[in-house]
Amino acid sequence: MGSNSSKISDLPKNEYLKKLSGPESISENDPFWNQLFSFSFPAPTSSTELKLLEEATISVCKSLVENNPRTGNLAALTKVFLSRTRELRLSAECQNHIFIWQTHNALFIICCLLKVFICELSEEELQLHFTYEDKSPGSYSSDSEDLLEELLCSLIQLITDTPLLDITYEISVEAVSAMVVFLSCQLFHKEVLRQSISHKYLMQGPCLPYTSKLVKTLLYNFIRQEKPPPPGTHVFPQQSDGGGLLYGLASGVATGLWTVFTLGGAGSKAASPELTSPLANQSLLLLLVLVNLTDAPDIPNPYRQAVTSFKNTQDSSPFPSSVPHTFQINFNSLYTALCEQQTSDQATLLLYTLLHQNSNVRTYMLARTDMENLVLPILEILYHVEERNSHHVYMALIILLILTEDDGFNRSIHEVILKNITWYSERVLTEISLGSLLILVVIRTIQYNMTRTRDKYLHTNCLAALANMSAQFRSLHQYAAQRIISLFSLLSKKHNKVLEQATQSLRGSLSSNDVPLPDYAQDLSVIEEVIRMMLEIINSCLTNSLHHNPNLVYALLYKRDLFEQFRTHPSFQDIMQNIDLVISFFSSRLLQAGAELSVERVLEIIKQGVVALPKDRLKKFPELKFKYVEEERPEEFFTPYVWSLVYSSAVGLYWNPQDIQLFAMDSD
């Protein structure tokens, strides 16, 4: 690439790149490759510079596409890299810095070229370019090895078998990046790919035996959160004037290249939080891409099988013979990493995937005695709903719904007492149970949704989580009890408003048949469905744990007039029986106690009355239990979601927003 290439803008004119992409064939044994791989230029430090690198690569690629059928230089470059990877482990053990640095640079060049090729060519055309050889220009041999498949297998082996040391950190990141790029053809299709050459390579043939090892390695990369090596880790001799193109990339890695990793991709909604571990971030993105590949016609996705079946290292039971690609991993370390990393979409999506699809992980997590470490970050995501994208909020909410399917979880969260929740700003919470805090945050999410997004799906899942917990409500904080009744008050006002609008609309329709009218009947049906569910949640608590919740009874009595209009309403009459009974019973006891009672005295009367209230007078209703069921064809949601995360969060990768077909993305 040349000693004079000190800027990205110089790359298209670089003599080494011009030779690589030019009309002259280069032998695999040519000293040219060592010169090409000894390059140095300032690493891109912003999405703008990444875009410039992309544009420079495109001009080189156009020339290579034109000349490669005659020269076979792409195959020669790939073979040189493959020959080097076979010596990589030994080079790491021998601390051969130069060899590893040059091998990294070879992979960097391949990755840059591959990204543009995948964007500009079909998979079939790409595969063909890897078959051209200089021995027979313009033709290829049908019995030649599949070099593209060999490259993919080599990347997997590099990720799984290369020891992670300071000198191998950057090449490990680059290998994971190259695999992400390898699968990026999905970005350039509007529909979810169900068959592709890259999927075929990964799900059968020589790559398949590495499935569990690759998934395990990527998970451990996420768990360990290894930081990049500090400046000065790589020590190379001073470059002479006759050196290569981008020399210094490795030695300047901590101060140059890693700064890219703290930036969101161009077009991302907001700047990503600083990434302390590029390898962990990139590994997690690759893992999510692999897990969400669609099944082949006759072959289920092996990476999803691996993620849904792995076990704890402390589990000594034999692996079921019917479950392929399984392995063991330290669940305690995995749990800790998941708790600490929930600020990112991708970590929340991994948590959702494991809770929903891996019963071993779900059972382990629900048995933990420190669930607050996991639940609090999820609640914080929901609390800051205004700052999160809708997908992140949905994932957090579904995680809560899955957790609340377990009665043990619903009981235990009321036993965990928290102090000084600083991020909850509506009210100072010096001491509150995890269960009460969860109720507060979910209710706040419902109220936000009512005034902003008005998403029925979000409403339904919030209410389902509350309903699952309602029979185990224990010692509700007075503020949580107030917010439950306040939400009902808000719904009641909404109901009255819609009812009034529907009445006025009906009157208007009698005088004018030409003007289309809003569908108030549908709005009324939706709001009544939500009100019904809120009444069922309150009723479930009163029926199953009245004696544990004097604060809820107090809030009911304080706002008892709210419920008057629903006593005779045909949609709520049955469910109102118990609520009406509780209100009447305790109102009577308060009346007997006299006027101007203090809050403490009212609560004392409620606690005494709970003992006196005959339980058989409360009508039993079916237990409220909602189970999360993933929609049919979930890949229609998850594939675009995962690739949008790759687009905005991937380490040092840039794609032109105008080329992307899978999801809409701004070009700024």
Side-chain angles (χ1 to χ4, degrees):
M1 289 177 167
S3 59
N4 295 324
S5 288
S6 58
K7 296 184 297 185
I8 294 174
S9 57
D10 293 334
L11 294 183
K13 299 175 287 187
N14 181 269
E15 59 179 290
Y16 291 93
L17 288 179
K18 287 170 73 174
K19 183 174 181 179
L20 174 67
S21 59
E24 178 188 343
S25 295
I26 307 169
S27 164
E28 296 167 38
N29 300 317
D30 197 304
F32 163 83
W33 299 110
N34 282 335
Q35 296 169 322
L36 176 70
F37 301 153
S38 301
F39 57 77
S40 171
F41 77 141
T45 57
S46 68
S47 58
T48 302
E49 292 184 358
L50 283 167
K51 183 178 179 181
L52 289 175
L53 177 61
E54 175 85 358
E55 291 169 350
T57 308
I58 288 174
S59 64
V60 172
C61 277
K62 285 183 177 178
S63 178
L64 187 60
V65 167
E66 181 181 345
N67 293 310
N68 188 59
R70 294 185 298 277
T71 65
N73 284 345
L74 181 62
L77 167 64
T78 304
K79 289 177 181 178
V80 172
F81 168 73
L82 291 175
S83 68
R84 283 174 165 269
T85 59
R86 299 183 189 106
E87 303 174 42
L88 199 59
R89 187 180 184 91
L90 180 61
S91 298
E93 293 171 356
C94 298
Q95 296 284 302
N96 190 336
H97 295 245
I98 299 292
F99 184 88
I100 294 171
W101 165 57
Q102 290 183 330
T103 306
H104 164 272
N105 289 350
L107 180 55
F108 177 79
I109 294 171
I110 290 172
C111 190
C112 289
L113 295 174
L114 191 61
K115 187 153 67 70
V116 177
F117 269 64
I118 288 172
C119 177
E120 300 291 331
L121 306 175
S122 69
E123 280 196 302
E124 291 74 20
E125 290 171 326
L126 174 67
Q127 190 178 35
L128 197 59
H129 268 281
F130 277 85
T131 64
Y132 294 129
E133 298 178 357
D134 62 317
K135 297 175 185 176
S136 47
S139 63
Y140 61 95
S141 171
S142 59
D143 60 352
S144 65
E145 74 276 22
D146 191 332
L147 201 57
L148 197 57
E149 183 175 40
E150 191 177 345
L151 173 61
L152 182 59
C153 286
S154 176
L155 292 175
I156 293 173
Q157 292 169 2
L158 197 160
I159 293 167
T160 58
D161 297 346
T162 304
L164 188 59
L165 309 169
D166 280 353
I167 59 172
T168 60
Y169 189 98
E170 65 205 70
I171 196 170
S172 297
V173 174
E174 198 64 49
V176 178
S177 296
M179 279 201 69
V180 172
V181 167
F182 200 99
L183 293 162
S184 65
C185 54
Q186 176 64 79
L187 282 171
F188 313 110
H189 293 79
K190 288 184 178 179
E191 304 297 325
V192 173
L193 290 178
R194 303 189 181 279
Q195 290 185 349
S196 77
I197 293 173
S198 56
H199 291 192
K200 179 183 175 183
Y201 288 154
L202 286 165
M203 294 189 189
Q204 50 191 289
C207 293
L208 186 61
Y210 289 91
T211 297
S212 58
K213 195 173 184 181
L214 176 60
V215 171
K216 184 175 182 177
T217 301
L218 295 175
L219 273 173
Y220 267 126
N221 285 347
F222 167 72
I223 288 169
R224 289 167 179 152
Q225 294 289 318
E226 291 283 356
K227 296 180 181 180
T233 301
H234 301 267
V235 181
F236 298 104
Q238 290 294 317
Q239 181 193 15
S240 65
D241 290 341
L245 158 73
L246 304 178
Y247 183 83
L249 179 63
S251 59
V253 75
T255 55
L257 188 59
W258 300 135
T259 58
V260 178
F261 304 157
T262 66
L263 303 171
S268 59
K269 181 179 178 182
S272 302
E274 184 174 349
L275 299 175
T276 57
S277 176
L279 180 61
N281 178 73
Q282 200 78 334
S283 295
L284 179 52
L285 290 171
L286 174 58
L287 178 62
L288 292 173
V289 169
L290 292 171
V291 169
N292 287 283
L293 294 176
T294 54
D295 295 334
D298 302 316
I299 306 171
N301 181 344
Y303 302 94
R304 188 181 303 122
Q305 288 181 319
V307 162
T308 58
S309 62
F310 69 81
K311 302 193 304 180
N312 194 354
T313 49
Q314 296 181 350
D315 186 347
S316 57
S317 61
F319 290 115
S321 56
S322 59
V323 181
H325 312 300
T326 191
F327 58 91
Q328 290 180 292
I329 205 165
N330 187 308
F331 276 17
N332 182 60
S333 300
L334 176 62
Y335 180 80
T336 301
L338 286 167
C339 292
E340 292 174 349
Q341 300 300 321
Q342 286 308 304
T343 52
S344 74
D345 283 68
Q346 47 267 39
T348 304
L349 180 53
L350 176 63
L351 175 58
Y352 158 80
T353 302
L354 295 178
L355 275 175
H356 177 51
Q357 299 187 22
N358 190 315
S359 59
N360 300 319
V361 172
R362 183 169 60 252
T363 300
Y364 173 85
M365 288 187 176
L366 288 169
R368 295 282 303 204
T369 57
D370 60 348
M371 277 298 289
E372 67 273 16
N373 292 336
L374 186 68
V375 175
L376 281 172
I378 299 300
L379 293 183
E380 199 166 351
I381 293 169
L382 292 175
Y383 185 79
H384 296 294
V385 60
E386 302 94 337
E387 303 166 16
R388 304 290 181 180
N389 68 69
S390 60
H391 291 342
H392 200 182
V393 172
Y394 284 145
M395 289 298 100
L397 190 53
I398 293 169
I399 287 167
L400 286 186
L401 179 56
I402 293 171
L403 293 174
T404 61
E405 291 171 12
D406 183 76
D407 287 340
F409 171 83
N410 294 332
R411 284 190 296 270
S412 66
I413 55 175
H414 293 286
E415 297 168 1
V416 177
I417 304 302
L418 308 168
K419 296 182 183 295
N420 300 317
I421 308 300
T422 55
W423 49 262
Y424 193 96
S425 59
E426 273 86 345
R427 178 165 173 157
V428 177
L429 299 175
T430 54
E431 186 172 289
I432 189 172
S433 71
L434 179 60
S436 289
L437 181 63
L438 196 159
I439 292 167
L440 285 175
V441 173
V442 171
I443 287 175
R444 185 180 184 274
T445 306
I446 294 172
Q447 291 179 322
Y448 174 83
N449 186 53
M450 285 177 66
T451 57
R452 305 285 183 87
T453 55
R454 300 181 182 180
D455 186 327
K456 184 181 177 182
Y457 179 81
L458 193 144
H459 259 352
T460 302
N461 284 285
C462 283
L463 291 168
L466 289 176
N468 285 347
M469 294 188 294
S470 59
Q472 275 86 35
F473 282 173
R474 295 288 188 277
S475 305
L476 290 184
H477 191 280
Q478 61 178 15
Y479 185 51
Q482 289 171 17
R483 297 310 296 163
I484 291 172
I485 305 305
S486 294
L487 175 58
F488 185 81
S489 174
L490 186 64
L491 292 167
S492 176
K493 291 175 183 176
K494 180 83 171 173
H495 178 267
N496 293 340
K497 182 179 179 181
V498 174
L499 190 59
E500 182 182 348
Q501 289 173 332
T503 305
Q504 291 175 353
S505 174
L506 187 60
R507 288 172 185 161
S509 66
L510 298 176
S511 59
S512 174
N513 295 324
D514 300 328
V515 181
L517 299 170
D519 190 358
Y520 289 115
Q522 184 178 358
D523 289 348
L524 198 60
S525 173
V526 171
I527 196 71
E528 287 185 354
E529 184 182 327
V530 176
I531 287 175
R532 168 86 191 185
M533 202 159 177
M534 276 303 299
L535 288 172
E536 288 179 341
I537 290 167
I538 295 170
N539 178 72
S540 174
C541 177
L542 296 179
T543 307
N544 294 284
S545 54
L546 178 65
H547 56 295
H548 289 297
N549 292 293
N551 284 327
L552 182 61
V553 176
Y554 183 97
L556 270 175
L557 294 172
Y558 191 75
K559 292 284 189 179
R560 54 184 173 268
D561 292 345
L562 279 175
F563 299 88
E564 190 65 32
Q565 62 176 309
F566 300 108
R567 289 176 62 188
T568 56
H569 194 294
S571 298
F572 314 119
Q573 206 168 8
D574 59 334
I575 204 74
M576 276 298 301
Q577 289 181 31
N578 287 343
I579 296 172
D580 193 37
L581 173 63
V582 169
I583 290 174
S584 300
F585 177 81
F586 285 100
S587 294
S588 173
R589 293 182 73 89
L590 290 176
L591 194 60
Q592 294 172 17
E596 298 185 7
L597 300 172
S598 66
V599 173
E600 292 75 15
R601 178 58 182 149
V602 171
L603 285 170
E604 185 182 340
I605 292 169
I606 290 171
K607 291 174 183 176
Q608 293 169 352
V610 164
V611 180
L613 177 64
K615 301 297 183 289
D616 56 0
R617 291 181 61 186
L618 295 174
K619 181 182 176 181
K620 291 290 183 184
F621 286 84
E623 183 183 11
L624 290 179
K625 220 52 177 166
F626 294 87
K627 188 174 179 63
Y628 169 69
V629 179
E630 198 169 71
E631 295 181 10
E632 292 184 19
R633 298 167 68 91
E635 65 275 5
E636 299 293 341
F637 168 80
F638 286 105
T639 300
Y641 180 31
V642 168
W643 278 105
S644 70
L645 296 179
V646 172
Y647 177 86
S648 61
S649 309
V651 173
L653 293 176
Y654 170 85
W655 287 275
N656 189 332
Q658 296 176 349
D659 295 329
I660 292 174
Q661 300 292 317
L662 184 62
F663 51 85
M665 189 57 89
D666 296 331
S667 58
D668 346 309

